[in-house]
Amino acid sequence: MLQHDVLVIGGGGAGLRAAIAAAEESDRLSIGVLSKVYPMRSHTVSAEGGTAAVMRENDHLDFHAKDTIFGGDFLSDQDAVEVFVREAPAEVIQLEHWGCPWSRDPDGRVSVRPFGGMTVNRTLYAADKTGFHMLHALFQTSLKYEKIVRYDEWFATSLLVEDGKVCGVAALNLHDGQVSPVTAKAVIICTGGGGRVYPFTTNAAIKTGDGMALAYRAGVPLKDMEFVQYHPTGLPGTGILITEASRSEGGHLKNKDGYRYLQDYGLGPPTDKPVHRKMELGPRDILSRCHIQEYQKGRTFDGPYGHYVHLDLRHLGEKVIDKQLPFVRELTRNYVGIDPVHEPIPVRPVVHYMMGGISTDLDGATVLPGLYAAGETACVSINGANRLGSNSLTELLVFGARAGRAAARDALGRPPIRSNPLAQLAADERRRLNERFLRADGRERIAEIREEMQKAMEKGLGIYRDRATMQETCKTLRHLRERFAHVGLMDRDAVFNTELIAALELESLLHVAETIAHSALAREESRGAHTRTDFPKRDDTRFLKHSLATHTPDGPRIDYSPVTITRWPPEERKY
Amino acid sequence: MAEETITLEVTRYRPREDREPRAQAFTVPYRKDWVVLDALNHIKDRVDGTLTYRWSCRMGVCGSCGMMVNGVPKLTCAAFLRDYLPGPIRVEPLAYFPVIRDLVVDIEDFMGKLRRVMPWIIRRTEQPLTAGEYRQTPAQLEAYKQFSMCINCMLCYAACPVYGLSPLFIGPAAIALGYRYNLDSRDEGYHLRQPILAEAVGVWQCTFVGECSAVCPKGVDPAAAIQRSKVAGAKDWFLSILLPRGGRS
Ligand code: SF4
Ligand code: FES
């Protein structure tokens, strides 16, 4: 049987950071990293803008904490934020020591740039491919640890739980189609978010919320799922991300009259040089709402993929664009056929990030003994109701490392796993997959259900929400779940069955979609990224609390837990 | 007006069952903003769910979607249908790799080779984190930056005649990555890495024609890395730092 002390599910930034941390915690541990894609394919690779940490004398941990809490509309747990800002600097330096090619100042220090919602320059970057460089630095560094054993292109289909403790996973090896138990004394889920529940997203195809669904199906609550971040500048059609760094370098958002419309929404005055937290450096939730209001006023452009505005970089000049934003130039040239040196870029808000996720404590531990989570898949919560740009890459480092260390210590203290019952559980899982998918004769097609789910989510759970539309989406999702029970595969092969994977992913997506919809319906206020036309105000009396969605046969049950406030009492969020 | 269409001839192959690969033609809608990957997704979602290939980011950065398009290694998420008019477009698995199924190839060989070049920072002594970052000037960063842009897409292997003939060859991307760490001012592992690189290049007869660099979608120029790794010895290494770019003689 395949056995480890610590098993990490997901090989992106959080997963690799966790694996290395566990490896460094003790020589006696064996560590597995199991991922449905090769680690360097993980979605961390697509992050562009940067990584926030207090690095300079003009900055202070409290400033970073306050910006994060304010940006999160006071739903962040402030004890988590304090840990986060405190451990961030050492983590980004650690990554520097591991070879990450951070952009540099002339004196050789790592450079920092401004970013949306931040009061000080504190975003480290590697041009505009920060996530790519971080992921490859982590992956290449992980190769140095021989006790990290990888299961590349394995899909974890369920958690194995015995006596109320997690003991590993059942996992499908894509290369031969076999389902095997992989046991571990501690399991860390680092599988990212699930932006693919929406039709327009910056997220890669693999972002299907698998880890969230794994935990949810095992009874672990998903926290604050109603908070979904729209990034204000994605490419229409493909949803490809145009980094916020293009605005922190000085890019302007303009409506169809060439007017910098953000000044009409309390973000002015417009200046030539970017000013912290003003205009284009406002937070993402607010900028996305401004876009929709411009559209409602008829001041956006109309294209084959709906309304859009212009992101104008021309005044930055070719030199700055090539040095600081080369990937933006590459992407826009390739995918929209325009050169940002000479033409403005068409952009619109697209789904980007999930603030919510598997509910964890400061060490990534969940309520299920032996189960940990970190990164976008988790909710600690530092991001509250709206994440600030460049906090997510830092989050996966800080909390990836913390979860790795905690899981390692946990594993050291646990007796060996009894393998017999687990083999039985894995056999059950094998049977489930066979009966459910490979031998079933359903007529429903995966792509159709997926597309209808995405449409329903965009309609009911977009930037602006109201009760009636959300209720309709909840109904549609239930109905889609019933249809999913009759899904049929054309592919019955054992080897590299990507249609089976697509079915498993759709199963995850449907779970995630339902938790988003039901959590949002229950939250009768507007806060951060969750904006309700029928409840337009923040309501601290009723809703200064986290939502917790727990799986039941009839859909998610919504409970609440308190928000931890340490030093920053809630105040009105105005920029 | 009838919808415009274009035909893809896609390789189908299940090594355990089929005697040999065959091409299957699919006619798909033609859209001028579609890439080859969009066409494959259209087929998978609406026509034939058994078609097998890898993809994820659809923006040229995850390195999953490399295939031969009309005989040339390409990222299919960056290969536009409009550049192959009027078709048909031949889509095959990357050359020189064993096929797992249809368009999915086995890259385990590369994963092993990557580890052999020790692509991580090696130091005699680690500076503690509390002492801050290792200083590195923009010029020192520039010296290796180009070689750090590799997305491990394997296009260069599929274009490499040496790898085609001698699969033991460590190959362009792995050499470029090893070389990248040799050039990094923070690294002190040159003496460990360089013999591996020099031997890898020395034994196999790379002709330095540069097919690898020609197909690289990220401008990595592995041919330059191979060329400069050929000669062991500190003198050439220093020269290469002085002349970080191009300079292929
Ligand atoms: S060197 Fe270029 S072609 Fe080769 S794997 Fe890297 S990115 Fe791909
Ligand atoms: S899908 Fe990621 S490189 Fe093409």
Side-chain angles (χ1 to χ4, degrees), chain A residues 372-395:
Chain A
Y372 296 77
E376 188 181 354
T377 206
C379 182
V380 184
S381 135
I382 61 154
N383 299 311
N386 172 61
R387 176 174 70 76
L388 291 190
S390 75
N391 267 351
S392 66
L393 290 176
T394 316
E395 176 179 5

Short mmCIF file of all heavy atoms in Angstrom, two decimals, chain A residues 372-395:
data_model
loop_
_atom_site.label_atom_id
_atom_site.label_comp_id
_atom_site.label_asym_id
_atom_site.label_seq_id
_atom_site.Cartn_x
_atom_site.Cartn_y
_atom_site.Cartn_z
N TYR A 372 -6.01 19.17 6.93
CA TYR A 372 -5.54 20.55 6.86
C TYR A 372 -5.85 21.11 5.48
O TYR A 372 -6.10 20.36 4.54
CB TYR A 372 -4.02 20.60 7.10
CG TYR A 372 -3.63 20.14 8.49
CD1 TYR A 372 -3.61 18.78 8.81
CD2 TYR A 372 -3.31 21.06 9.47
CE1 TYR A 372 -3.28 18.37 10.08
CE2 TYR A 372 -2.97 20.65 10.75
CZ TYR A 372 -2.96 19.30 11.05
OH TYR A 372 -2.63 18.90 12.31
N ALA A 373 -5.82 22.44 5.38
CA ALA A 373 -6.00 23.06 4.07
C ALA A 373 -5.26 24.39 4.06
O ALA A 373 -5.11 25.03 5.10
CB ALA A 373 -7.48 23.28 3.77
N ALA A 374 -4.79 24.80 2.87
CA ALA A 374 -4.10 26.09 2.74
C ALA A 374 -4.21 26.60 1.31
O ALA A 374 -4.40 25.83 0.38
CB ALA A 374 -2.63 25.94 3.13
N GLY A 375 -4.06 27.91 1.18
CA GLY A 375 -4.14 28.53 -0.14
C GLY A 375 -5.56 28.94 -0.47
O GLY A 375 -6.40 29.08 0.42
N GLU A 376 -5.84 29.13 -1.74
CA GLU A 376 -7.17 29.61 -2.13
C GLU A 376 -8.26 28.64 -1.68
O GLU A 376 -9.39 29.05 -1.41
CB GLU A 376 -7.26 29.83 -3.65
CG GLU A 376 -8.58 30.52 -4.04
CD GLU A 376 -8.73 30.74 -5.54
OE1 GLU A 376 -7.78 30.47 -6.29
OE2 GLU A 376 -9.82 31.19 -5.95
N THR A 377 -7.93 27.37 -1.61
CA THR A 377 -8.94 26.37 -1.25
C THR A 377 -9.41 26.53 0.20
O THR A 377 -10.47 26.08 0.57
CB THR A 377 -8.38 24.95 -1.49
OG1 THR A 377 -9.46 24.07 -1.72
CG2 THR A 377 -7.56 24.45 -0.32
N ALA A 378 -8.59 27.22 1.01
CA ALA A 378 -8.89 27.35 2.44
C ALA A 378 -9.45 28.74 2.74
O ALA A 378 -9.36 29.65 1.94
CB ALA A 378 -7.62 27.13 3.25
N CYS A 379 -10.04 28.86 3.93
CA CYS A 379 -10.48 30.16 4.41
C CYS A 379 -10.06 30.28 5.86
O CYS A 379 -10.61 29.62 6.73
CB CYS A 379 -12.00 30.28 4.26
SG CYS A 379 -12.62 31.89 4.77
N VAL A 380 -9.03 31.14 6.09
CA VAL A 380 -8.39 31.17 7.42
C VAL A 380 -9.13 32.02 8.45
O VAL A 380 -9.14 31.66 9.62
CB VAL A 380 -6.93 31.65 7.30
CG1 VAL A 380 -6.22 31.60 8.63
CG2 VAL A 380 -6.18 30.80 6.29
N SER A 381 -9.59 33.23 8.22
CA SER A 381 -9.74 33.96 6.99
C SER A 381 -8.98 35.28 7.05
O SER A 381 -9.19 36.04 7.97
CB SER A 381 -11.23 34.24 6.81
OG SER A 381 -11.52 35.54 6.40
N ILE A 382 -8.09 35.52 6.08
CA ILE A 382 -7.45 36.83 6.05
C ILE A 382 -8.13 37.75 5.04
O ILE A 382 -8.00 38.97 5.10
CB ILE A 382 -5.95 36.75 5.71
CG1 ILE A 382 -5.73 36.14 4.34
CG2 ILE A 382 -5.18 35.99 6.77
CD1 ILE A 382 -4.42 36.60 3.72
N ASN A 383 -8.83 37.16 4.06
CA ASN A 383 -9.33 37.97 2.95
C ASN A 383 -10.70 38.58 3.21
O ASN A 383 -11.11 39.49 2.49
CB ASN A 383 -9.35 37.15 1.68
CG ASN A 383 -7.96 36.68 1.31
OD1 ASN A 383 -7.03 37.49 1.29
ND2 ASN A 383 -7.80 35.39 1.05
N GLY A 384 -11.38 38.05 4.21
CA GLY A 384 -12.68 38.60 4.54
C GLY A 384 -13.62 38.60 3.36
O GLY A 384 -13.77 37.60 2.68
N ALA A 385 -14.24 39.76 3.12
CA ALA A 385 -15.25 39.85 2.08
C ALA A 385 -14.68 40.28 0.74
O ALA A 385 -15.38 40.33 -0.26
CB ALA A 385 -16.34 40.83 2.50
N ASN A 386 -13.39 40.62 0.72
CA ASN A 386 -12.75 41.05 -0.53
C ASN A 386 -11.24 41.00 -0.33
O ASN A 386 -10.71 41.63 0.56
CB ASN A 386 -13.17 42.49 -0.88
CG ASN A 386 -12.38 43.04 -2.04
OD1 ASN A 386 -12.43 42.50 -3.15
ND2 ASN A 386 -11.62 44.10 -1.82
N ARG A 387 -10.57 40.23 -1.21
CA ARG A 387 -9.12 40.12 -1.08
C ARG A 387 -8.43 41.26 -1.79
O ARG A 387 -8.84 41.68 -2.87
CB ARG A 387 -8.65 38.79 -1.69
CG ARG A 387 -7.15 38.64 -1.70
CD ARG A 387 -6.71 37.28 -2.18
NE ARG A 387 -6.93 37.04 -3.59
CZ ARG A 387 -6.17 37.54 -4.57
NH1 ARG A 387 -5.17 38.34 -4.29
NH2 ARG A 387 -6.44 37.25 -5.83
N LEU A 388 -7.37 41.76 -1.18
CA LEU A 388 -6.54 42.74 -1.87
C LEU A 388 -5.57 42.03 -2.80
O LEU A 388 -5.02 40.98 -2.46
CB LEU A 388 -5.75 43.59 -0.88
CG LEU A 388 -6.55 44.55 -0.01
CD1 LEU A 388 -5.61 45.48 0.74
CD2 LEU A 388 -7.54 45.37 -0.84
N GLY A 389 -5.36 42.64 -3.97
CA GLY A 389 -4.41 42.09 -4.92
C GLY A 389 -3.05 41.94 -4.27
O GLY A 389 -2.64 42.79 -3.48
N SER A 390 -2.35 40.85 -4.59
CA SER A 390 -1.01 40.50 -4.12
C SER A 390 -0.99 39.93 -2.70
O SER A 390 0.07 39.60 -2.21
CB SER A 390 0.00 41.65 -4.26
OG SER A 390 -0.19 42.66 -3.30
N ASN A 391 -2.14 39.77 -2.08
CA ASN A 391 -2.16 39.04 -0.80
C ASN A 391 -2.28 37.53 -0.99
O ASN A 391 -1.95 36.78 -0.08
CB ASN A 391 -3.32 39.52 0.08
CG ASN A 391 -2.89 40.64 1.04
OD1 ASN A 391 -1.70 40.95 1.15
ND2 ASN A 391 -3.85 41.24 1.73
N SER A 392 -2.77 37.07 -2.14
CA SER A 392 -3.01 35.62 -2.26
C SER A 392 -1.72 34.84 -2.40
O SER A 392 -1.59 33.74 -1.87
CB SER A 392 -3.96 35.30 -3.41
OG SER A 392 -3.36 35.63 -4.64
N LEU A 393 -0.75 35.39 -3.13
CA LEU A 393 0.52 34.66 -3.27
C LEU A 393 1.23 34.59 -1.92
O LEU A 393 1.83 33.59 -1.56
CB LEU A 393 1.41 35.31 -4.33
CG LEU A 393 0.91 35.14 -5.78
CD1 LEU A 393 1.79 35.90 -6.75
CD2 LEU A 393 0.83 33.68 -6.17
N THR A 394 1.13 35.68 -1.16
CA THR A 394 1.71 35.66 0.18
C THR A 394 0.98 34.66 1.07
O THR A 394 1.58 33.93 1.84
CB THR A 394 1.63 37.06 0.82
OG1 THR A 394 2.01 38.03 -0.15
CG2 THR A 394 2.54 37.16 2.02
N GLU A 395 -0.34 34.65 0.92
CA GLU A 395 -1.13 33.74 1.75
C GLU A 395 -0.72 32.29 1.53
O GLU A 395 -0.60 31.51 2.48
CB GLU A 395 -2.63 33.90 1.43
CG GLU A 395 -3.49 32.91 2.22
CD GLU A 395 -4.99 33.04 1.95
OE1 GLU A 395 -5.38 33.84 1.09
OE2 GLU A 395 -5.76 32.34 2.63
#
